Amino acid sequence: MAIMRYAEALNAALREAMTADPSVFLFGEDVADYGGVFKVSRGLREAFGDRVRDTPISEQTLAAMAVSASMTGLRPVLEIMYADFMPLTLDALVNQASVYGYVWGDEITLPFVIRTQGGGGLGTGAQHAKSLDSFVAHIPGLKVVAPVTPADAKGLLLAAIQDPHPVIVLEHKRLYNTRAEVPDDQGPVPLGRARVARDGSDVSLIATSRMVVEAEAAADRLAESGISAEVLDLRTLRPLDVEAIVRSVAKTRHAVVINEDWGFCGYAAELSATIMEHAFDDLDAPVERVATRDMPIPFAESLETAVIPDADVITAAALRALA
Amino acid sequence: MTTPTGTEDGRMATVITVGAAAGAYMDTVVVLEWRVAPGDAVRAGQVVAVVETAKAATEVEAPRDGVLSAILAEVGAEIAIASPLGLIGDDADATLATAIQPAEGATPTAPATPDGTARRADAPRSTSGEAWTDRIIASPAARRHAETVGLDLQAVVGTGPGGRIKVRDVTAALRGRDEVLSELAPDPLPEFVPAAVTEAAHPLAVTRSGPDTGTPILLLHGFAGDVTAWHAIERRLARTHPVVRLDLPCHGRSPRQRFRSFRDFIRPVLDTVDALKAGPMHVVGHSLGGAVALTLAERRPNLVRSLALLSPVGLGTEIDNHVLEGLCRAARPESLTPWLRRLVVDPACISDAYARAAMVAREDPDLRASQRALAASLFPDGTQSINVTPLLRRVTMPIRLVWGRADELVPWRHALAAPGRVALHLLPAVGHLPHLEVPDTVTQIIRDMIVCAGSGNRMADRGGVP
């Protein structure tokens, strides 16, 4: 058992996957010589040579390359530097990757991975701080994961690379330097299984990505008032672990759904609707939705803090649900 | 802030709301005064009502000329600021059904949550044909919980946002009942055995308890019951009043006989009451005992000072035949308990000890056979052949009907056959055995009735003999 940074855990997964399977290769902007802007691919160029390649700045082309390479039997892992640039990849995802399996039946599989990172809180401004989770989670045929802990970062990336279908890995820029224990034998984490980050009985805080960290802080505050909050880390955004959500809501009867994407038509709305569809009679209060305000992410720290949800906002939402 | 809304026939009604006058930080206001009455003509700008906001009384003006057609929030009511206070129509006929809630854009008053979404509970509620005041706002979980325990949400006070009933409110409503039940639960078996003072000299078995002086309370049990049925309230009543319990014919320790009619059945009861020479009594009858009590009151008006009828038979036609048959058949506590529990909302109030006590007399096959015959005579084919409704009009003492809203044996709606003079207590989340399920409530009702019957000179009013 070793203490690892989140970025190191991702690096370990890439190293392990590339060692085990020669068809795995990495490409993206500054991933090779520079080791990735967040240093996730540090040292891999030295270890694996041409299997780690720098590319020009052209996300639309890169995504199409990932689709095409996977069709030939390779397992490409593409890094898109910021989730804000994911819209440039959408044609390859919506019109190619997600439909080829359907159009050609079982004749082809598309075992590629796109890693990207989103989220705010580091003063990166309106074009480098968004979480566009719903853009990719919306598309049938894609799988989407969002690890929070270093152990899950390694486990979910390993599972994503091994999966025969396209998987989008949503990392978070504020998680790269977080440290936690990662078991030496940490293997793939099954896709589609949520994790109870904290057991509780009064209200369910159902969160994704770094919002899980804020939800845990909110749970600490609620505990000071004698409120027992359960924190559910979804881990996989698609396919959704509906059973885990229903189990938690049936227990607590109160739900707060939390996602760092925008609220309107956002991923949190999907969670809210899912609860309504599957657990309506368990609800003792309307589902509370916590999401980023419907506006560009401000550069100024004070404004950014006001726009992106935090433990305060989650705590307030939980108290409203319990009112 | 007003919104005209179309009526079915094209006329327009306008909703009066407090609007911006309440101030930005107010959620609710309290109605202090209405300056006009329904039907009054009003002019635009005229002060029609006064409401209390955070710091001051605020005048609410009529949004337009017209007629005040409805007051939707009475004086004293606390309402959300976006809720309608009243309606102004072109004439007094405009109704809530035709004027719907303030329309889009009329209610930007609900506080915004940090993520920018509006608070739903404070938003105006859709009327959708129901009266505003009648609609129950309850969470889905609270509704399911109430249904499970047989609680009527009408009786529950909601403490959630906008008065929404939450699970905790249902739990709180049940708690009062549970406290009474827990008081009952530890009773050891001997409590249920009739006290030693059982007299065999009368046509029917008589059991006395309580003080020697005072106006006695006569308790008449229901079909298939006996003196043990009263244990919960007998203990309470006997603290202050002599309590006399009869075992009805074919029940408990009274003789097993065959009767051709209710008229025959009542005869030994009248004879026993006459033989008691106890003077005027307050009479409480349950179920079949209720019909007996009412008949007694009609035949012996001078001996019955007041009358409490708990879930009585004889006021309607239907009765659950399966339960009656099940009670008759039961030859052991294990087979009796499920049928007794069918009669109550919370099965916990039929303890094993109670069932064993109730079974003591029923172990006699002769008693069970005579009760089966009695049921066939009084309740053939799930129908009540007794009709004592006319008697309610012929007696003059105070009468209280006590009925559980969840009574599945004898529906509470039979109470609607009673004349207006008769008081009706409808008990939420109570089945056919209110004296077992909510003994404190039933005791209080009986005590209130006794107090009520004790004042005034009623007999003189009707020219009778005291």
Side-chain angles (χ1 to χ4, degrees):
Chain A
M1 188 84 81
I3 302 285
M4 272 188 176
R5 290 191 306 119
Y6 184 92
E8 290 168 350
L10 291 166
N11 182 278
L14 292 171
R15 194 178 289 271
E16 205 170 298
M18 293 180 80
T19 305
D21 184 348
S23 68
V24 177
F25 73 100
L26 312 187
F27 68 118
E29 297 155 14
D30 286 330
V31 300
D33 291 343
Y34 190 65
V37 290
F38 294 96
K39 296 299 175 193
V40 170
S41 48
R42 190 201 308 247
L44 297 181
R45 170 77 172 191
E46 291 74 7
F48 296 98
D50 281 350
R51 288 170 65 195
V52 182
R53 297 197 182 198
D54 283 325
T55 68
I57 299 176
S58 179
E59 284 80 4
Q60 190 169 358
T61 306
L62 301 180
M65 287 167 63
V67 174
S68 312
S70 70
M71 290 170 71
T72 70
L74 296 174
R75 290 184 177 262
V77 179
L78 166 63
E79 178 180 301
I80 299 293
M81 199 183 287
Y82 283 82
D84 308 67
F85 313 150
M86 283 299 285
L88 291 163
T89 70
L90 282 181
D91 181 63
L93 298 181
V94 176
N95 289 320
Q96 299 170 32
S98 67
V99 299
Y100 282 173
Y102 171 78
V103 171
W104 287 321
D106 292 333
E107 288 178 39
I108 60 154
T109 56
L110 298 150
F112 72 88
V113 170
I114 295 182
R115 288 180 44 247
T116 188
Q117 59 77 29
L122 294 180
T124 48
Q127 293 156 321
H128 297 82
K130 291 192 287 292
S131 300
L132 299 178
D133 304 1
S134 53
F135 276 43
V136 284
H138 184 58
I139 304 168
L142 297 188
K143 295 176 182 175
V144 182
V145 301
V148 179
T149 65
D152 278 353
K154 184 180 179 195
L156 286 170
L157 181 54
L158 280 175
I161 294 171
Q162 291 175 7
D163 197 89
H165 302 292
V167 182
I168 313 297
V169 180
L170 299 175
E171 298 159 11
H172 195 291
K173 59 176 68 64
R174 284 186 71 188
L175 290 174
Y176 283 128
N177 280 320
T178 57
R179 293 165 187 273
E181 287 186 347
V182 177
D184 295 335
D185 60 349
Q186 176 67 54
V189 167
L191 304 183
R193 299 252 187 90
R195 170 180 74 99
V196 178
R198 176 188 298 227
D199 199 43
S201 57
D202 296 332
V203 57
S204 299
L205 309 180
I206 300 164
T208 64
S209 189
R210 210 192 74 80
M211 285 297 117
V212 172
V213 176
E214 297 293 337
E216 288 177 310
D220 284 339
R221 271 178 229 184
L222 291 164
E224 289 166 15
S225 312
I227 295 167
S228 164
E230 176 150 304
V231 178
L232 194 64
D233 169 10
L234 289 179
R235 300 204 285 193
T236 300
L237 275 57
R238 184 178 189 130
L240 183 57
D241 191 347
V242 175
E243 195 184 319
I245 293 173
V246 170
R247 196 184 309 125
S248 182
V249 173
K251 178 168 67 168
T252 66
R253 299 194 188 115
H254 300 87
V256 181
V257 294
I258 309 142
N259 175 251
E260 201 179 321
D261 199 346
W262 288 306
F264 189 87
C265 285
Y267 191 74
E270 180 61 38
L271 296 178
S272 176
T274 298
I275 293 169
M276 234 71 90
E277 285 167 356
H278 295 275
F280 181 76
D281 284 326
D282 292 312
L283 287 173
D284 202 17
V287 174
E288 288 287 341
R289 170 169 49 161
V290 173
T292 291
R293 285 179 181 248
D294 287 334
M295 60 176 287
I297 311 295
F299 178 78
E301 185 186 350
S302 58
L303 296 177
E304 186 179 29
T305 304
V307 165
I308 296 175
D310 59 12
D312 286 343
V313 175
I314 297 168
T315 303
L319 292 175
R320 276 199 306 277
L322 290 165
Chain B
M1 184 187 315
T2 61
T3 305
T5 53
T7 62
E8 280 170 355
D9 57 1
R11 286 176 306 176
M12 304 293 275
T14 304
V15 172
I16 309 169
T17 63
V18 179
Y25 299 100
M26 291 297 298
D27 286 346
T28 63
V29 296
V30 174
V31 181
L32 293 181
E33 181 187 353
W34 274 96
R35 298 239 174 115
V36 291
D40 289 355
V42 296
R43 306 281 304 269
Q46 178 185 346
V47 174
V48 292
V50 181
V51 299
E52 184 180 70
T53 59
K55 297 189 177 78
T58 299
E59 295 178 334
V60 179
E61 297 175 355
R64 68 164 171 96
D65 293 352
V67 173
L68 184 71
S69 42
I71 287 177
L72 301 175
E74 298 287 351
V75 171
E78 182 175 358
I79 61 162
I81 57 169
S83 297
L85 283 164
L87 280 183
I88 293 180
D90 295 324
D91 52 49
D93 294 337
T95 63
L96 184 60
T98 55
I100 316 301
Q101 74 274 21
E104 202 180 327
T107 59
T109 46
T113 58
D115 60 339
T117 53
R119 293 285 305 277
R120 290 139 302 231
D122 299 330
R125 299 159 182 170
S126 162
T127 55
S128 60
E130 290 176 78
W132 287 64
T133 49
D134 286 352
R135 181 161 168 223
I136 295 173
I137 307 293
S139 77
R143 285 183 189 279
R144 188 179 57 184
H145 186 35
E147 194 178 309
T148 305
V149 298
L151 190 70
D152 187 340
L153 286 174
Q154 289 278 10
V156 179
V157 178
T159 61
R164 182 189 293 125
I165 297 170
K166 300 192 71 174
V167 168
R168 62 173 177 241
D169 302 318
V170 175
T171 307
L174 288 168
R175 198 172 299 132
R177 197 180 68 182
D178 291 344
E179 278 164 9
V180 169
L181 295 176
S182 64
E183 183 191 329
L184 179 62
D187 277 355
L189 179 59
E191 273 286 324
F192 303 112
V193 176
V197 275
T198 300
E199 302 161 15
H202 307 294
L204 298 176
V206 173
T207 307
R208 296 175 192 267
S209 55
D212 294 332
T213 58
T215 305
I217 301 172
L218 175 65
L219 304 178
L220 298 170
H221 63 78
F223 177 76
D226 60 30
V227 67
T228 59
W230 296 110
H231 76 98
I233 69 166
E234 178 271 332
R235 286 189 300 160
R236 291 165 170 78
L237 295 173
R239 286 174 200 152
T240 52
H241 287 77
V243 174
V244 179
R245 287 172 286 173
L246 290 194
D247 282 340
L248 291 178
C250 305
H251 289 77
R253 299 182 182 188
S254 289
R256 290 77 170 109
Q257 294 165 265
R258 298 294 165 109
F259 301 99
R260 277 168 306 185
S261 66
F262 184 63
R263 192 190 183 86
D264 284 352
F265 180 75
I266 202 80
R267 172 60 47 195
V269 179
L270 294 172
D271 291 346
T272 303
V273 170
D274 289 341
L276 286 174
K277 297 189 191 310
M281 296 182 289
H282 302 287
V283 179
V284 181
H286 169 242
S287 196
L288 175 60
V292 172
L294 180 54
T295 310
L296 171 66
E298 196 260 347
R299 302 282 174 86
R300 301 285 187 273
N302 296 348
L303 292 182
V304 180
R305 183 157 284 174
S306 70
L307 191 59
L309 307 178
L310 317 181
S311 317
V313 303
L315 303 186
T317 49
E318 69 270 34
I319 189 164
D320 189 328
N321 216 20
H322 297 293
V323 178
L324 286 179
E325 286 171 2
L327 288 170
C328 283
R329 273 200 310 273
R332 288 182 309 161
E334 295 76 26
S335 50
L336 181 65
T337 305
W339 295 108
L340 288 174
R341 287 186 174 159
R342 282 274 295 268
L343 298 177
V344 297
V345 170
D346 185 348
C349 67
I350 303 293
S351 65
D352 292 341
Y354 175 75
R356 282 199 301 277
M359 199 58 222
V360 170
R362 306 194 55 76
E363 282 171 358
D364 176 6
D366 211 20
L367 174 136
R368 299 201 299 273
S370 61
Q371 286 185 1
R372 266 199 298 277
L374 184 65
S377 158
L378 300 181
F379 312 114
D381 309 322
T383 305
Q384 303 187 25
S385 68
I386 322 163
N387 181 11
V388 292
T389 315
L391 305 189
L392 279 174
R393 300 186 184 280
R394 299 220 286 269
V395 297
T396 58
M397 70 288 294
I399 306 177
R400 306 221 164 177
L401 276 175
V402 180
W403 229 304
R405 288 185 70 117
D407 190 337
E408 290 188 1
L409 185 70
V410 184
W412 71 264
R413 288 181 190 283
H414 290 183
L416 301 178
R421 185 182 75 77
V422 175
L424 171 60
H425 295 265
L426 275 181
L427 308 180
V430 170
H432 186 63
L433 304 176
H435 48 304
L436 264 180
E437 299 177 74
V438 285
D440 280 330
T441 303
V442 173
T443 301
Q444 192 58 48
I445 291 169
I446 293 170
R447 290 197 186 287
D448 289 350
M449 180 185 75
I450 289 172
V451 169
C452 168
S455 61
N457 189 348
R458 185 179 43 78
M459 298 304 283
D461 290 345
R462 65 187 281 266
V465 186

